[in-house]
Amino acid sequence: MRRIVRILILAAGIVTTLTSFAESRVVTDSIQSKVLGAPVRFNVYLPDGYDASSHYPVIYLLHGLSDTYAAWMERGGMKLVADELIRSGECRPAVIVMPNAGGRPTRGVQNGYFNVKDWSYEDFFFGEFIPAVENGYSAGGSKGQRAVMGLSMGGGGSVVYCQRHPDKFSSCYAMSPWLDNDGEKVKTGGKLDKLYIVCQSVCDHSALDFVEKADETTLEALRTVKWFLDCGDDDFLLDFSLRLHQLMRDRKVKSELRVRDGVHNWEYWHTALRTALPFASRNFSVAD
């Protein structure tokens, strides 16, 4: 009888623990942007035990071309991965923010993380979005408590944001990043529509050109960011990651590179999260 009682107690303890770990939640929120002249929706992951009176590091998780703020939840399994990594101690409890920067159809809906005509997204992101989110969710507030990562268009956006604002982020994890558009890696069809505009903006904000042209002061600032490039061996954007990694090595900007088996798809990015979130966590400052 005692053995049965002990088993029941143990079982109850396991259930309690699992319930506790399941208390993380994802909130859908929005900000009315004066810069963009429109509301911008976003998802926010709040870890188990989230307390607004405490303070958390923040990770900005960016989506790719034609996706929205919902993609990382609906297709990438972000919450499941974050819960598991925090539970295992591989990742510190953090607020993870997934902003909207596009949608479908790509020829009719403006995509992208850079400033273009009638879409000053970079100005919005740094001038409105970061302050509003971090004040509202008790997160970030400094370089040492802030990271950025993303896939494809969002991977390229993450890299360029850290290049242009190295004082804002402790680390950058770029998954299958779209870093330039030379060679027409992403076909526009030659039409002067919104897909053409975002493709041109990626070319105009080339992460490769940035490193090639950087002076020593700029390179020194880049060295304050922890860099990680992760791309599949059969990904059509792989050459960009290889070139950027070599350029950074040549200019003595340390970066990590992983080329794993895979293509440009959600299976790859879901598994990449299991490396990306701990990477960001390791590079947060202990206190800022």
Side-chain angles (χ1 to χ4, degrees):
M1 181 67 179
R2 287 182 180 178
R3 185 182 177 199
I4 293 172
V5 170
R6 288 178 64 192
I7 291 172
L8 289 173
I9 291 172
L10 287 172
I14 291 170
V15 170
T16 301
T17 302
L18 291 175
T19 301
S20 175
F21 288 136
E23 289 176 357
S24 70
R25 64 189 191 277
V26 174
V27 176
T28 299
D29 203 344
S30 67
I31 175 175
Q32 182 65 39
S33 170
K34 294 181 180 178
V35 172
L36 298 177
V40 179
R41 292 171 69 83
F42 58 98
N43 275 339
V44 183
Y45 169 89
L46 302 174
D48 175 34
Y50 172 80
D51 179 357
S53 66
S54 299
H55 193 80
Y56 297 84
V58 64
I59 298 170
Y60 291 93
L61 182 58
L62 310 185
H63 66 75
L65 179 69
S66 83
D67 277 325
T68 70
Y69 71 96
W72 274 110
M73 276 295 295
E74 295 175 353
R75 306 179 69 186
M78 186 285 305
K79 184 177 183 297
L80 172 66
V81 175
D83 285 347
E84 290 179 355
L85 292 172
I86 293 172
R87 181 173 69 228
S88 68
E90 297 172 76
C91 184
R92 288 169 56 182
V95 170
I96 303 175
V97 182
M98 295 152 275
N100 198 60
R104 300 184 183 211
T106 54
R107 295 194 181 279
V109 174
Q110 187 62 63
N111 283 260
Y113 296 97
F114 310 134
N115 289 351
V116 298
K117 186 178 183 296
D118 300 323
W119 180 260
S120 298
Y121 195 90
E122 185 175 349
D123 290 349
F124 155 73
F125 190 87
F126 288 93
E128 294 182 320
F129 189 66
I130 285 180
V133 168
E134 296 185 6
N135 288 333
Y137 289 94
S138 187
S142 64
K143 173 185 175 75
Q145 293 290 295
R146 189 184 294 124
V148 63
M149 59 182 65
L151 68 90
S152 194
M153 181 183 77
S158 300
V159 171
V160 174
Y161 276 6
C162 283
Q163 289 179 336
R164 291 162 61 86
H165 308 271
D167 59 318
K168 297 295 186 185
F169 302 102
S170 56
S171 69
C172 170
Y173 195 108
M175 310 170 205
S176 313
W178 185 18
L179 300 167
D180 202 329
N181 208 38
D182 60 334
E184 288 288 309
K185 292 288 186 183
V186 177
K187 303 294 185 181
T188 66
K191 297 180 180 179
L192 298 180
D193 54 17
K194 291 183 177 179
L195 177 58
Y196 181 92
I197 291 171
V198 70
C199 290
Q200 185 61 47
S201 76
V202 171
C203 187
D204 292 342
H205 294 80
S206 168
L208 307 177
D209 289 349
F210 188 94
V211 176
E212 284 186 329
K213 297 173 181 176
D215 59 22
E216 186 54 36
T217 300
T218 300
L219 292 171
E220 194 59 37
L222 296 182
R223 294 178 188 125
T224 69
V225 179
K226 301 297 184 182
W227 301 90
F228 202 123
L229 305 172
D230 183 350
C231 197
D233 57 353
D234 290 317
D235 194 307
F236 69 101
L237 296 179
L238 174 61
D239 289 346
F240 291 145
S241 288
L242 298 178
R243 287 165 56 191
L244 179 61
H245 180 68
Q246 188 60 57
L247 281 169
M248 293 174 80
R249 281 174 58 91
D250 292 344
R251 305 303 302 274
K252 296 182 172 52
V253 178
K254 185 178 179 181
S255 70
E256 295 190 48
L257 172 69
R258 295 293 182 277
V259 179
R260 300 182 288 117
D261 182 36
V263 297
H264 204 79
N265 65 12
W266 278 102
E267 179 182 357
Y268 192 91
W269 304 320
H270 174 77
T271 58
L273 268 184
R274 298 184 181 277
T275 303
L277 295 180
F279 177 76
S281 185
R282 289 194 303 273
N283 289 297
F284 288 135
S285 59
V286 176
D288 235 41

